[in-house]
Amino acid sequence: FLCADATANRAIFRSNGGLANYQSNNADLSDERMKIIHNPTASKWDAHAALEVFDYHYTESPDTRLLIGVGASQAGECDERLCATDGWDTGSEKYHAIYSKDLSFFTMKTVQECQARIEALEAVIAAL
């Protein structure tokens, strides 16, 4: 569902439940009452460290400014939940796409582990 005026798109309700509005907000339904929570996510420490972050620009774009990112296929090797190929079939090959929101939660899990390690080391230092 698209809401637009003569100058711009003002709001888009996406088929995945997302809402994008003029301020670039995109809120997905994330209420715990709508989820079946299985367990806390396991450590992502090693897998996160294995992700190569690189500078790039798109091959078929006239814009050659450097962007920053990761390769979707490599991210999929680190955790299959990060990579998608559906919807990107070009007829001769499938392109890999990254679930950027899942990658942000993947990173959040690693940051939480960093915080726990820092606090444990601070406790050891304080006890000396």
Side-chain angles (χ1 to χ4, degrees), residues 16 27 43 101:
N16 69 356
S43 174
K101 186 171 293 181

Side-chain angles (χ1 to χ4, degrees), residues 83-103:
C83 182
T85 56
D86 56 326
W88 292 92
D89 191 348
T90 64
S92 61
E93 61 184 329
K94 288 190 176 192
Y95 288 109
H96 294 89
I98 193 160
Y99 292 119
S100 56
K101 186 171 293 181
D102 292 353
L103 180 60

